[in-house]
Amino acid sequence: MYKELIFSLDMPYREKMKIYGYRFGYGERAACIVGPTRGNEVQQLYICSQLIRILTALERNGDIHAKKELLVIPSVNHFSANIEKRFWELDNTDINRMFPGDANGETTPRIAAGIFERVKGYQYGIQFASFHTPGAFIPHVRMMKTGRQSESLANLFGLPYVLTRKPDPFDTGTLNYNWQLSGTNAFSVYAGMIEQINETVAMQAVSSVLRFLTRMGILKYNCHSGYISTVIEENALFSIRSDCSGIYRRLKNPGDEVHFGEVLAQVIDPFEGEILSEIISPSDGILFFAHTKSLVKENGVIYQMIRRLHE
Amino acid sequence: MQGNVISMRLPVGEAFHIRRTRIAKDGSAGKRLCIVTGIHGDEFEGQYIAYALNRRLQEQKEHLHGTVDIYPAVNPLGMESNNRGFPGYDLDMNRSFPGNPEGDLVERAAAALIQDIMGADLCIDLHASNIFIREIPQARLSSNYADSVMEYAKSANVDFIWVSESKTVLEATLVHTLNSLSVPSFAIEMGVGMRITKEYGDRITEGILRIMKKLGMWDGPALELTVPLVSSEHAVYMIHSQSSGIFLPVTENFKELYEGDLVGEIIDPFEGKKKQEIFAPCDGMIFSMREYPVVYEGSLIARILAM
């Protein structure tokens, strides 16, 4: 393992921000893994740290194949992580909306340009990211539909679901989108939580990446074969919304199978404690996403469901 | 006359409203002008204009022909909590249009605002800058729609009209959405975040009355105070910081500069040294100037209109 400085940025008062990459093996640029670009993606940071720990052991044992290079960047935005902010605090910009970046532009486009210059050209690119709507997902691989995406490759992660998404205009600044445009097979792995660490889900995500890299002939790691993924389009997810505002009592978790007419959640009057509303399942299905905050606003999405799918 | 564009319950004992003030002569038909401000919760320059215009129209209603709708606070939760975005969603509301009437609070609010404005003859979206950059009063026009609003922008008493290519992310702004729905619209930007520059507000208020004259909606007094420069006739240069530190301006906005003139310095208070001197790359005029002292490598220092 070789630790290399990818990008650095002087700070007026704080220590210089140094973004490091951990390189394993030497040779063709086989795979690159990029961790959190947002300061609150702690689960994603933890996953990358565990990947580096395991890859270090695998390399020591000779289990990374010859002439294959792997790069892991465990954190792009510790500037924000250390002050518990999601975005670049000074101007609230999102590094993962700045790719491919601009080396002569403003600060976050410069960071994006510095990262992209180093991570482009790999055959496979894996990003640990989170969705802009706060909540919890079933672990899945997410891909932009740029016309260059490969669902069959995404299936090799062995996670239960692969989700494809038609890019909105604001998606064109993500690392995933720009990786794809530059010829890298790009995947975003969504590992359930964001700000809290869920050890079980984190290790499932770690295994999925090691499984994928093994199947791509980059390393040797013996693990469970995983799932044959169900491929879904984001548009096919059915949004279940709260019909009123109040204290939110969630009764189900992502991954739960639910049935038509089942009570999924309750909304409680914040002053008088009475149940204002019970949110009823509109059909049978699997819950893919769940709102996890304790308050809910009227018409807010509380679950996204894959309808008429069973365990 | 006041009304609500949208009302929705918040979780704990409060409702969210976007309020609209309509000023119209009784029974008056004719054209409709919409003045929107407060999409960004840290921008308050439009508050004074909403007040001054509202007051002027009510005091001199005999000169009004048609309807003026003023929306002073599109993001009231952000404005009352020092949040640029929409609190609870971490979203820039001006990247949420056209919204979704079946969506969550932000999406529904955005859709309701669009629905309320639809059919207007002109919409002006008033912005301050953020807290980092001070702007001279300027109209921002998308090149795709510049022709339909240029004559109004020239009457707005701004110093400068910036016509720029529409980037993909700007497709979700209020102005772009309205233009695409055949409501001629443009944005005016001035001053700095979290402050009110009364002088600019007075100028733009007169400018809006001049625009109303062009629309046939006003036959009272309206002062012509500026003849704006137009960016399509000049190149725009950006100056970014090459060092992190504390920025001290040496010159100021809307001042003529020559190539090589000192614009500002970046200093290091620990070492007592200058880290960088920043010089003008061309002859011209600064129309955006760094206000917030802390800078990183890449921070925008100034925009210069080459002349």
Side-chain angles (χ1 to χ4, degrees):
Chain A
M1 182 265 286
Y2 176 77
K3 184 177 175 180
E4 72 173 71
L5 182 63
I6 305 271
F7 185 84
S8 68
L9 185 73
D10 279 331
M11 299 280 164
Y13 301 112
R14 294 167 57 176
E15 274 190 15
K16 183 181 278 201
M17 186 177 87
K18 295 176 180 173
I19 300 173
Y20 287 104
Y22 291 77
R23 202 172 70 210
F24 302 89
Y26 185 79
E28 77 175 73
R29 290 187 162 197
C32 179
I33 298 158
V34 175
T37 54
R38 283 89 175 233
N40 67 336
E41 292 174 341
V42 182
Q43 166 91 334
Q44 291 65 26
L45 179 67
Y46 177 70
I47 290 166
C48 284
S49 72
Q50 294 306 303
L51 268 172
I52 289 171
R53 181 180 62 80
I54 296 171
L55 287 169
T56 303
L58 289 173
E59 188 179 52
R60 201 179 296 131
N61 292 338
D63 288 333
I64 295 179
H65 290 179
K67 297 181 181 172
K68 302 281 186 186
E69 180 194 300
L70 261 165
L71 178 71
V72 185
I73 302 177
S75 171
V76 173
N77 192 1
H78 22 298
F79 171 87
S80 299
N82 288 330
I83 53 173
E84 299 184 29
K85 298 289 182 184
R86 180 167 168 82
F87 298 134
W88 192 260
E89 176 59 6
L90 201 61
D91 56 8
N92 207 37
T93 50
D94 181 357
I95 296 172
N96 201 30
R97 293 285 180 274
M98 297 297 168
F99 289 97
D102 177 356
N104 298 309
E106 295 210 37
T107 307
T108 45
R110 282 185 189 215
I111 296 170
I115 298 296
F116 197 66
E117 183 59 29
R118 179 65 183 87
V119 303
K120 69 184 182 188
Y122 282 86
Q123 191 174 2
Y124 305 107
I126 300 164
Q127 184 181 12
F128 284 96
S130 65
F131 200 56
H132 51 72
T133 302
F137 284 99
I138 299 179
H140 65 281
V141 179
R142 186 176 284 248
M143 309 175 76
M144 301 276 183
K145 290 184 79 172
T146 60
R148 301 178 184 207
Q149 81 285 355
S150 167
E151 289 89 341
S152 53
L153 278 179
N155 209 323
L156 298 179
F157 282 83
L159 285 173
Y161 297 95
V162 170
L163 184 137
T164 58
R165 168 188 171 84
K166 185 171 171 285
D168 282 322
F170 60 81
D171 287 318
T172 56
T174 61
L175 174 59
N176 186 308
Y177 184 89
N178 285 281
W179 247 341
Q180 281 199 38
L181 289 196
S182 69
T184 294
N185 288 296
F187 312 94
S188 295
V189 176
Y190 282 69
M193 315 297 288
I194 304 173
E195 294 183 354
Q196 286 83 37
I197 292 171
N198 180 317
E199 190 86 32
T200 306
V201 176
M203 293 321 293
Q204 187 184 9
V206 168
S207 295
S208 75
V209 171
L210 297 172
R211 182 184 298 122
F212 176 81
L213 297 175
T214 299
R215 288 171 172 172
M216 293 299 107
I218 298 168
L219 51 82
K220 191 166 69 184
Y221 181 75
N222 290 323
C223 67
H224 181 268
S225 296
Y227 293 86
I228 298 170
S229 308
T230 301
V231 180
I232 47 175
E233 282 199 33
E234 191 178 51
N235 287 343
L237 293 175
F238 184 81
S239 292
I240 301 170
R241 296 175 183 272
S242 172
D243 58 358
C244 62
S245 299
I247 291 175
Y248 179 62
R249 181 180 285 156
R250 178 164 58 94
L251 303 177
K252 298 291 177 184
N253 292 309
D256 285 352
E257 180 176 352
V258 298
H259 301 283
F260 172 77
E262 199 173 342
V263 179
L264 303 179
Q266 295 171 328
V267 183
I268 313 292
D269 185 307
F271 295 146
E272 298 168 16
E274 300 292 338
I275 295 172
L276 292 172
S277 175
E278 289 192 324
I279 313 300
I280 307 296
S281 180
S283 75
D284 294 354
I286 303 278
L287 297 176
F288 189 79
F289 164 81
H291 172 88
T292 50
K293 290 185 176 178
S294 299
L295 297 177
V296 67
K297 294 188 182 83
E298 180 186 334
N299 231 45
V301 174
I302 52 171
Y303 293 106
Q304 286 184 308
M305 173 191 269
I306 311 167
R307 298 178 82 173
R308 293 182 283 279
L309 189 74
H310 302 283
E311 281 279 13
Chain B
M1 182 177 67
Q2 291 203 11
N4 290 332
V5 173
I6 187 172
S7 297
M8 285 177 75
R9 297 299 306 170
L10 294 172
V12 188
E14 183 189 353
F16 164 87
H17 309 284
I18 296 180
R19 293 160 62 190
R20 181 197 67 198
T21 299
R22 170 163 288 180
I23 306 147
K25 216 188 278 184
D26 288 341
S28 175
K31 292 187 172 172
R32 182 159 68 100
L33 170 67
C34 293
I35 306 294
V36 177
T37 191
I39 289 181
H40 292 134
D42 61 350
E43 299 181 2
F44 291 92
E45 299 279 6
Q47 297 307 296
Y48 176 71
I49 298 169
Y51 156 81
L53 182 67
N54 190 341
R55 186 174 171 141
R56 183 83 167 267
L57 294 177
Q58 293 195 50
E59 286 176 354
Q60 300 179 11
K61 213 168 186 178
E62 67 276 13
H63 296 299
L64 175 64
H65 306 282
T67 300
V68 177
D69 284 334
I70 304 176
Y71 306 78
V74 171
N75 178 8
L77 299 179
M79 295 177 78
E80 291 207 17
S81 61
N82 190 16
N83 268 296
R84 182 172 177 80
F86 204 98
Y89 293 87
D90 219 352
L91 274 178
D92 182 341
M93 194 179 181
N94 208 24
R95 300 289 181 273
S96 305
F97 294 98
N100 173 5
E102 305 299 322
D104 61 23
L105 180 58
V106 186
E107 294 172 312
R108 285 177 79 174
L113 182 65
I114 294 287
Q115 187 59 40
D116 207 70
I117 294 171
M118 282 301 291
D121 295 279
L122 182 68
C123 178
I124 302 173
D125 182 16
L126 300 174
H127 287 260
S129 180
N130 54 30
I131 63 169
F132 304 104
I133 302 291
R134 181 177 286 278
E135 305 278 5
I136 62 172
Q138 57 198 268
R140 300 261 176 101
L141 277 57
S142 159
S143 56
N144 297 341
Y145 300 104
D147 290 347
S148 63
V149 290
M150 181 61 85
E151 63 168 322
Y152 301 120
K154 283 183 172 174
S155 299
N157 282 340
V158 293
D159 291 317
F160 173 50
I161 297 173
W162 190 2
V163 183
S164 58
E165 295 291 325
S166 173
K167 293 180 182 172
T168 50
V169 292
L170 299 184
E171 289 175 7
T173 62
L174 174 68
V175 164
H176 182 95
T177 302
L178 287 173
N179 276 315
S180 68
L181 295 169
S182 303
V183 178
S185 304
F186 65 98
I188 294 178
E189 186 121 5
M190 78 207 90
V192 68
M194 295 192 183
R195 296 288 180 272
I196 291 177
T197 315
K198 185 169 176 294
E199 177 215 332
Y200 292 165
D202 286 329
R203 278 170 51 182
I204 301 302
T205 303
E206 291 295 331
I208 292 171
L209 292 170
R210 288 181 66 204
I211 290 168
M212 289 174 62
K213 274 199 166 184
K214 275 200 179 302
L215 287 164
M217 296 178 66
W218 182 251
D219 60 15
L223 299 176
E224 179 178 349
L225 298 170
T226 62
V227 177
L229 299 162
V230 181
S231 69
S232 49
E233 296 157 10
H234 308 268
V236 171
Y237 286 85
M238 313 273 190
I239 303 179
H240 295 279
S241 170
Q242 300 303 324
S243 309
S244 298
I246 301 301
F247 174 68
L248 287 181
V250 171
T251 185
E252 57 194 49
N253 254 350
F254 207 45
K255 194 171 172 185
E256 202 169 279
L257 281 175
Y258 295 97
E259 184 177 344
D261 281 357
L262 190 63
V263 172
E265 297 165 342
I266 296 173
I267 59 167
D268 182 338
F270 293 107
E271 301 285 336
K273 290 179 180 168
K274 285 180 194 172
K275 297 180 83 173
Q276 188 190 346
E277 290 184 317
I278 298 163
F279 299 101
C282 60
D283 296 353
M285 183 268 296
I286 294 181
F287 64 94
S288 309
M289 185 74 173
R290 185 84 186 172
E291 179 81 8
Y292 193 80
V294 175
V295 295
Y296 299 96
E297 290 171 36
S299 293
L300 182 66
I301 297 295
R303 296 189 188 101
I304 299 182
L305 188 67
M307 295 172 69

